[in-house]
Amino acid sequence: MKRTFAALLVFTLNLSPIAHGQQPAEKLPFNPPTTISGYQNAAAELQAEKAFLAVPSAELAKEHLRILTSAPHVAGSPEDKKTAEYVLQKYKEAGLDAYIQEYKIWMNTPAEIKVDVVAPEGVMMHGPTREHVSDDPYQDDLRVLTAYNAFSPSGDVTADVIYANYGRPEDFKKLKELGVEAKGKIAIVRYGANFRGVKPFVASEYGCVGVIIYSDPWDDGYYKGDKYPKGPWRPDTAVQRGSVQYLFRYPGDPTTPGIASVPDLPDSKRTPLDQVTDLTKIPTTPLSYADASPILANLGGPESPREWQGALPFTYHVGAGPVKVHMLLKQNYQWTTIYDVIGMVKGSEFPQQWVITGNHRDAWVYGAVDPNSGTAAQLEAVHGLGELLKTGWKPKRTIVFASWDAEEEGLIGSTEFAEQHADELRQAVAYFNMDVAVAGPDFGASSVPSLKQYLREISKAVPSPKGGSVYEQWKATTEKRDKEKAKSTQAGAASREPVVVTKQDVRVGDLGSGSDYTPFLQHLGVPSADIGSSGPYGVYHSVFDNFAWFTKFGDPTFAYEQQMARVYGLDTIRMASEDVLPFNYEDYGKEIGEYVKAADQKSKETFGAKSPSFANAQKAASRLEKAGAQMLLTQSGMKGNTARVNQALRDTERAFLIDGLPDRPWFKHSIYAPGKYTGYAAVVIPGVNEAIDASDSALTLEQLKVLTDALNRAAETLEKGM
Ligand SMILES: [Zn+2]
């Protein structure tokens, strides 16, 4: 990352009391900005914001979280419905016009899951072992489902095992080099490095008949620190559940890409199950490292490459065999009713323009961190909004709060809602997402480039529990991380790094996938953002992500819950009433210019002299940057016809939409998509980059043209608005 020495130095001096925090650090004072851009009457807005910020309560957030996580509440369960009713009641109490929207979804729960070692003789393992530690008040609830991977098929396979590291294409290539045949084998792979649905996708390309995904203690267990209940890291028997849907093809109900699975949708409108393209055909199931250990410890064959070695106490080999495993997965697939909760406050001036603010509510088990730390914070943001409404305040645009269901299975509640309201959403202003609100104290954000500065400004207006503003602490933790060259510890978009850095300021990441902004941004072109707060968190998607873990390690005082409620609410409230929308398209154009430059370089390396010319795409990116810069002058001067300016600012993101990416028409955004082989991380200018990765120069040329046209459309939209 580019970063000048001067910037680093100035910054370090600012933070000296905290950077040398051996002795109790003096708290930075909090000095919120006294000006605000985009408002004719900034004083009135600042007053409303101050009134809002005073409301979200740590104590009430704690109460919401305790109630929401009192029982396991996987999507579609009776307990999940109860949480929907709780959220509905809170939305209504705040004065929102609220309802529950049901959808009918094809999905599975486990009926019977068995993983047994059947050879060699003397090696015993009959899994999965029930998740258990010495002391946890939630682990023995009978409603806890056996750990499973959503959207794995049922299956009954017995085969020799191979170890394939993270299950990436390069890992399977490496196995081939080592002379290890993957065909007909069960691959055991570790979590991490990519979205878990990518693992069976790649394994099936190499002919595997089954996949076991386990959590290596290297990645989030004892290698990181003390395990739960002594510390926050993954204990031996804890399993990471999760979906293995091919969400890089399309998310949502597998039978309705592009249309909403409303309860009365006729079957004739659904894709027949044998024609569905986003589901894996090979049985896949997760294991703890307690259960994976006997399999890995007894593999023969060559030593694994040293980078593949995890933290289990033996040398990892790759097989194949002599360990043979029997996987028996009986999945209970059925039509399942899920429950989104929607709450609206009608805009006083522009009711058709929506500002949408979403968080998912369904959890793999109790979901204290993922996702209900977000739900609790959302409910306190709604509480604040409610108090503001009582004073007679009204937003100019319509505010839509959403509590999504079945995010865990495949962003289902949000995708179906977005598909149902595609027409209305053409006028939407922004989508603000929060999934894991609090796993620890380190704030982070990801968004489209046009919103990055907006998020920084919002974070300056909210105090941090550590003193100073959220912005100052955000900057401090990223600088510290840079100095220590430490990687973020969280599986969440909020701590993702951007592909390029064009500004000497705190870094806001790019949106790939893995949470509910995907349908809004990548299917419909609604400018989107995702925020969260991370920390040492090793119980992701296990039974131990519960209220006991959260109050011990995540946020004992709920001060970060209060902080996130404030940031999330302020994102929404300020955007809803802006006189001139705050989108920065100079930043957007500049970032795209860097993406194009990098792709050009990669293309030259791939195709040599036959590389197509990137000149037109580069020119179009510059044109966008220039139009964005001019537009910023119009925005800050509040000149011109405000309605026309705002219209242009809203339409520019949608101008990036194309008919669809090659092989995955549901994804229509020309700048951001989840990577086909990464799943979570964003691939930028995906049409072009993936054509180069596939060494297809004709497709590269075609996709360059598609991209160039989209960039010119976006630039023209801005030019016409001034
Ligand atoms: Zn989540």
Side-chain angles (χ1 to χ4, degrees):
M1 301 290 140
K2 286 179 279 182
R3 198 153 280 262
T4 66
F5 180 68
L8 194 72
L9 182 70
V10 168
F11 185 69
T12 309
L13 289 175
N14 274 345
L15 282 167
S16 48
I18 288 188
H20 306 285
Q22 294 295 39
Q23 59 276 75
E26 234 175 278
K27 270 196 175 187
L28 284 171
F30 173 58
N31 299 309
T34 51
T35 56
I36 179 172
S37 60
Y39 278 85
Q40 308 274 7
N41 187 347
E45 171 63 18
L46 283 168
Q47 205 187 345
E49 290 186 1
K50 202 172 161 195
F52 164 78
L53 290 171
V55 181
S57 144
E59 213 173 305
L60 290 176
K62 182 175 185 178
E63 183 67 0
H64 298 314
L65 190 69
R66 191 184 58 73
I67 292 167
L68 289 162
T69 62
S70 60
H73 53 105
V74 77
S77 65
E79 293 79 12
D80 169 47
K81 191 176 183 201
K82 252 189 217 164
T83 60
E85 283 157 359
Y86 181 77
V87 169
L88 179 70
Q89 181 200 334
K90 295 293 155 194
Y91 281 7
K92 284 184 169 166
E93 281 171 15
L96 275 57
D97 192 1
Y99 63 97
I100 289 180
Q101 171 69 52
E102 296 185 353
Y103 297 104
K104 194 180 117 187
I105 307 298
W106 183 251
M107 54 191 242
N108 65 311
T109 49
E112 189 183 359
I113 304 288
K114 275 177 140 178
V115 181
D116 296 307
V117 172
V118 295
E121 222 167 305
V123 179
M124 295 275 282
M125 198 285 281
H126 299 288
T129 306
R130 200 178 165 81
E131 295 173 289
H132 210 274
V133 294
S134 57
D135 179 27
D136 177 80
Y138 291 90
Q139 61 190 353
D140 294 324
D141 192 298
L142 293 174
R143 293 167 294 189
V144 176
L145 296 177
T146 304
Y148 68 110
N149 284 130
F151 289 120
S152 162
S154 293
D156 185 347
V157 291
T158 303
D160 281 341
V161 176
I162 54 170
Y163 171 56
N165 196 25
Y166 290 112
R168 299 168 297 185
E170 59 265 43
D171 296 328
F172 280 94
K173 269 181 215 139
K174 187 79 202 173
L175 282 176
K176 219 168 205 172
E177 281 169 38
L178 293 170
V180 177
E181 176 60 55
K183 198 161 181 228
K185 308 296 191 303
I186 291 173
I188 185 165
V189 298
R190 51 175 164 162
Y191 271 114
N194 52 18
F195 169 63
R196 73 183 82 67
V198 172
K199 299 172 193 283
F201 175 66
V202 177
S204 61
E205 286 185 327
Y206 283 84
C208 292
V209 295
V211 176
I212 293 167
I213 315 177
Y214 81 102
S215 301
D216 199 288
W218 175 277
D219 294 295
D220 63 5
Y222 55 72
Y223 185 79
K224 290 276 190 180
D226 278 328
K227 48 193 189 186
Y228 183 71
K230 191 176 176 206
W233 296 104
R234 189 175 297 273
D236 309 16
T237 56
V239 186
Q240 180 189 142
R241 293 151 182 80
S243 175
V244 290
Q245 185 188 49
Y246 294 168
L247 72 75
F248 41 90
R249 288 256 174 81
Y250 63 90
D253 184 332
T255 70
T256 62
I259 49 177
S261 293
V262 289
D264 58 358
L265 183 76
D267 285 352
S268 60
K269 291 267 168 74
R270 291 179 183 263
T271 308
L273 288 167
D274 58 351
Q275 289 167 34
V276 158
T277 59
D278 73 331
L279 300 185
T280 178
K281 294 201 166 53
I282 57 175
T284 303
T285 208
L287 279 186
S288 65
Y289 60 81
D291 286 345
S293 186
I295 300 175
L296 289 163
N298 290 286
L299 281 180
E303 264 180 21
S304 72
R306 289 301 75 208
E307 324 78 87
W308 293 22
Q309 176 73 39
L312 290 168
F314 47 78
T315 301
Y316 291 23
H317 287 244
V318 294
V323 183
K324 204 183 264 290
V325 161
H326 176 211
M327 287 173 75
L328 175 71
L329 311 184
K330 290 187 186 161
Q331 310 286 359
N332 182 16
Y333 272 93
Q334 57 187 330
W335 294 106
T336 307
T337 300
I338 64 161
Y339 313 93
D340 283 357
V341 190
I342 308 297
M344 298 190 150
V345 180
K346 201 169 169 191
S348 60
E349 287 182 34
F350 314 110
Q352 312 85 343
Q353 296 176 22
W354 293 1
V355 177
I356 310 115
T357 307
N359 152 260
H360 79 93
R361 191 190 65 253
D362 65 298
W364 280 119
V365 193
Y366 297 97
V369 170
D370 178 9
N372 296 128
S373 65
T375 318
Q378 190 201 54
L379 291 180
E380 277 313 287
V382 167
H383 177 204
L385 176 65
E387 293 303 308
L388 211 48
L389 290 170
K390 278 188 202 156
T391 68
W393 174 93
K394 282 195 180 71
K396 291 194 182 109
R397 300 181 179 82
T398 293
I399 290 176
V400 181
F401 270 94
S403 171
W404 311 121
D405 204 353
E407 186 270 356
E408 294 292 6
E409 285 74 6
L411 322 180
I412 297 176
S414 57
T415 298
E416 300 311 319
F417 178 89
E419 290 170 342
Q420 185 180 4
H421 296 281
D423 277 340
E424 290 113 308
L425 288 165
R426 246 168 234 140
Q427 298 192 62
V429 174
Y431 174 71
F432 293 108
N433 193 63
M434 188 160 65
D435 185 333
V436 169
V438 182
D442 301 338
F443 183 82
S446 297
S447 75
V448 290
S450 55
L451 278 173
K452 290 184 176 181
Q453 192 54 34
Y454 178 75
L455 293 176
R456 294 185 189 108
E457 296 304 322
I458 293 287
S459 71
K460 289 173 187 169
V462 176
S464 163
K466 285 190 241 175
S469 66
V470 172
Y471 174 81
E472 287 165 296
Q473 297 298 345
W474 182 11
K475 209 165 172 180
T477 41
T478 35
E479 293 287 353
K480 188 161 169 270
R481 209 181 279 155
D482 285 352
K483 260 200 275 177
E484 293 167 0
K485 296 199 168 38
K487 276 212 291 192
S488 164
T489 49
Q490 195 192 337
S495 49
R496 195 160 290 146
E497 289 288 327
V499 171
V500 299
V501 177
T502 56
K503 230 178 200 168
Q504 294 301 320
D505 205 333
V506 63
R507 298 193 295 278
V508 180
D510 305 317
L511 295 171
S513 191
S515 198
D516 293 304
Y517 51 80
T518 282
F520 293 94
L521 176 65
Q522 292 156 353
H523 188 57
L524 298 175
V526 179
S528 298
D530 190 23
I531 56 168
S533 186
S534 62
Y537 169 50
V539 295
Y540 175 66
H541 287 187
S542 78
V543 74
F544 306 112
D545 182 355
N546 60 38
F547 192 71
W549 184 97
F550 192 87
T551 49
K552 200 167 172 189
F553 301 109
D555 187 13
T557 65
F558 286 73
Y560 291 93
E561 279 287 316
Q562 180 182 47
Q563 165 192 299
M564 296 311 287
R566 286 168 167 163
V567 174
Y568 186 65
L570 201 57
D571 274 348
T572 310
I573 285 168
R574 185 179 290 182
M575 184 63 78
S577 294
E578 295 266 11
D579 291 309
V580 176
L581 292 170
F583 301 120
N584 184 328
Y585 278 101
E586 184 184 20
D587 285 355
Y588 215 142
K590 201 178 279 176
E591 289 205 22
I592 294 171
E594 294 296 323
Y595 303 160
V596 173
K597 214 190 280 172
D600 189 5
Q601 188 59 37
K602 192 169 74 174
S603 177
K604 287 198 174 87
E605 284 159 19
T606 308
F607 303 118
K610 288 194 183 120
S611 176
S613 165
F614 280 62
N616 286 341
Q618 197 58 260
K619 218 187 288 169
S622 303
R623 179 181 167 193
L624 177 65
E625 182 184 340
K626 215 167 111 199
Q630 272 163 0
M631 183 52 111
L632 278 179
L633 296 176
T634 309
Q635 286 164 279
S636 64
M638 302 208 129
K639 291 181 298 210
N641 177 334
T642 310
R644 204 176 66 201
V645 167
N646 283 337
Q647 170 92 36
L649 287 165
R650 283 189 288 116
D651 288 345
T652 304
E653 184 79 47
R654 266 171 292 274
F656 293 133
L657 295 184
I658 55 176
D659 284 342
L661 293 173
D663 300 336
R664 36 184 188 154
W666 187 91
F667 283 96
K668 296 187 187 302
H669 202 282
S670 59
I671 314 298
Y672 296 104
K676 246 192 247 178
Y677 289 104
T678 63
Y680 285 133
V683 166
V684 299
I685 52 170
V688 174
N689 270 319
E690 292 188 335
I692 301 169
D693 293 343
S695 298
D696 187 335
S697 63
L699 187 62
T700 305
L701 188 65
E702 180 197 303
Q703 288 297 311
L704 261 175
K705 169 104 175 56
V706 171
L707 172 68
T708 305
D709 289 350
L711 295 178
N712 279 321
R713 267 198 312 277
E716 192 183 342
T717 306
L718 285 175
E719 287 158 3
K720 283 188 171 160
M722 286 181 272

